[in-house]
């Protein structure tokens, strides 16, 4: 329990809106992924923010990581007496969806679940590690979001819709070289799927990483959080198509920079031991 509690971080203040819980991408902490962009902007809109740091920077078995997300969402809902909004980038989106799929009580505690570039059907980039897995091994979570992994099949099994209660929005970009380029837009059954290019046709931006600094991606997330139901691209100002980057908090960005620069080293340090095969599905997900 102490490890779960230590992984939850909340910004003081922020207003009287719903609290947003951010779940980071593989290899990043919540601070590095969101503090200098989304947290700063949503604070202006009256939303307090928290983030959770899965163990091993999200490079271990995602069935372990998701328990941290479940714990954090429960704690925030209990503390505030209000439903929480969940926002996940890349693997963070997978963890958000998995938590809601397999923890029945969570649907009643969550208002909006929004994902950015989440590889619900896996990625070919992750699959490229498979030939090496028997020799060098691969980080456990990478094996889980490879194409046709047992994890991906369990999450979207038989096209069953996500549990009723929360509003689900999946945001993607056709310029996402990691998730979309090799397999089409990711699909989560029961979720409203919105592409940045639905708002800005032909826009060659953002890439997978840039989803968390892109103005239109932020607009869609903020729209989902700020209105009943999922995001509606019709409510996004078309003028924002000319703005590639959302407002950023420079001081927070400078503070997060060392984490970005140490990213390759952090992966080596926190992803060991590597696995020779995908971790088996736990009984609840079979």
């Amino acid at each position: 329990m102490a490890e779960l509690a230590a992984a939850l971080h909340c910004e003081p203040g922020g207003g009287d809106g719903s609290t947003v819980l951010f779940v980071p991408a593989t290899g990043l902490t919540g601070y590095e992924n969101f503090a200098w962009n989304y947290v700063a902007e949503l604070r202006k809109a009256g939303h307090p923010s928290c983030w959770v740091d899965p163990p091993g920077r999200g490079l271990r078995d995602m069935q372990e990581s998701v328990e941290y997300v479940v714990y954090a969402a429960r704690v925030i809902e209990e503390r505030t007496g209000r439903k929480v909004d969940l926002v996940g980038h890349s693997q963070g989106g997978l963890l958000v969806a998995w938590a809601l799929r397999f923890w029945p009580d969570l649907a009643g505690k969550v208002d909006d679940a929004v994902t950015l570039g989440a590889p619900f059907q896996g990625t070919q980039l992750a699959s490229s590690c498979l030939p090496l897995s028997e020799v060098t091994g691969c980080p456990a979570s990478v094996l889980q979001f490879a194409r046709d992994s047992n994890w991906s099949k369990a999450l979207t099994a038989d096209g069953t819709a996500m549990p009723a209660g929360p509003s689900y929005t999946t945001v993607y970009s056709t310029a996402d070289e990691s998730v979309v380029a090799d397999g089409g837009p990711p699909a989560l059954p029961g979720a409203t799927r919105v592409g940045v290019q639905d708002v800005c046709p032909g826009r060659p931006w953002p890439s997978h990483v840039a989803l968390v600094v892109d103005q239109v991606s932020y607009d869609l997330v903020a729209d989902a959080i700020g209105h009943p139901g999922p995001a509606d691209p019709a409510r996004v100002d078309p003028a924002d198509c000319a703005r590639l980057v959302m407002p950023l908090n420079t001081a927070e960005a400078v503070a997060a920079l060392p984490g970005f620069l140490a990213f390759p080293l952090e992966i080596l340090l926190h992803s060991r031991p590597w696995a020779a095969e995908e971790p088996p599905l736990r009984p609840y997900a079979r």
Side-chain angles (χ1 to χ4, degrees):
M1 187 65 75
E3 291 182 2
L4 296 173
L8 174 60
H9 309 274
C10 293
E11 287 281 285
D16 57 2
S18 58
T19 299
V20 183
L21 173 64
F22 291 99
V23 188
T26 308
L28 297 175
T29 66
Y31 182 88
E32 293 161 357
N33 210 152
F34 292 108
W36 48 286
N37 41 25
Y38 277 58
V39 170
E41 279 303 289
L42 287 173
R43 184 189 298 120
K44 297 176 185 177
H47 290 281
S49 295
C50 301
W51 60 82
V52 62
D53 292 330
R57 287 180 169 254
L59 290 154
R60 301 178 190 170
D61 183 350
M62 290 196 287
Q63 294 169 109
E64 177 186 354
S65 297
V66 75
E67 295 176 7
Y68 287 72
V69 178
V70 174
Y71 171 85
R74 286 173 172 167
V75 166
I76 294 170
E77 190 267 348
E78 182 177 356
R79 286 178 182 173
T80 64
R82 301 181 62 176
K83 291 184 177 181
V84 62
D85 296 315
L86 304 181
V87 176
H89 175 217
S90 194
Q91 184 196 142
L94 295 181
L95 297 178
V96 165
W98 190 274
L100 285 161
R101 171 75 78 194
F102 293 111
W103 270 261
D105 71 295
L106 214 57
K109 304 178 187 298
V110 173
D111 185 19
D112 279 282
V114 190
T115 68
L116 291 160
F120 297 117
Q121 281 69 50
T123 73
Q124 194 60 43
L125 181 63
S127 299
S128 65
C129 195
L130 294 178
L132 303 175
S133 60
E134 294 184 4
V135 180
T136 63
C138 298
S141 63
V142 172
L143 295 173
Q144 289 170 314
F145 53 77
R147 292 277 184 208
D148 298 319
S149 68
N150 292 326
W151 165 282
S152 298
K153 291 175 182 176
L155 178 61
T156 59
D158 303 322
T160 304
M162 293 295 292
S167 299
Y168 299 92
T169 302
T170 63
V171 178
Y172 72 94
S173 167
T174 58
D176 186 331
E177 76 291 349
S178 178
V179 175
V180 175
D182 62 3
L188 181 66
T192 295
R193 186 172 62 180
V194 184
V196 171
Q197 288 74 22
D198 294 337
V199 181
C200 311
R203 196 173 197 234
W205 164 276
S207 65
H208 185 68
V209 173
L211 279 162
V212 293
V213 297
D214 173 55
Q215 178 67 62
V216 175
S217 301
Y218 171 79
D219 290 343
L220 291 167
V221 174
D223 183 81
I225 293 171
H227 296 86
D232 182 353
R235 289 194 291 254
V236 175
D237 186 352
D240 278 358
C241 291
R243 303 183 179 99
L244 295 184
V245 179
M246 64 183 285
L248 304 176
N249 184 305
T250 304
E252 297 285 6
V254 170
L257 184 60
F260 285 112
L261 296 178
F263 184 81
L265 179 60
E266 292 288 348
I267 288 179
L268 291 175
L269 289 175
H270 293 283
S271 62
R272 297 291 184 175
W274 285 4
E277 58 184 14
E278 179 185 351
L281 289 175
R282 296 183 180 179
Y284 70 79
R286 293 174 188 166

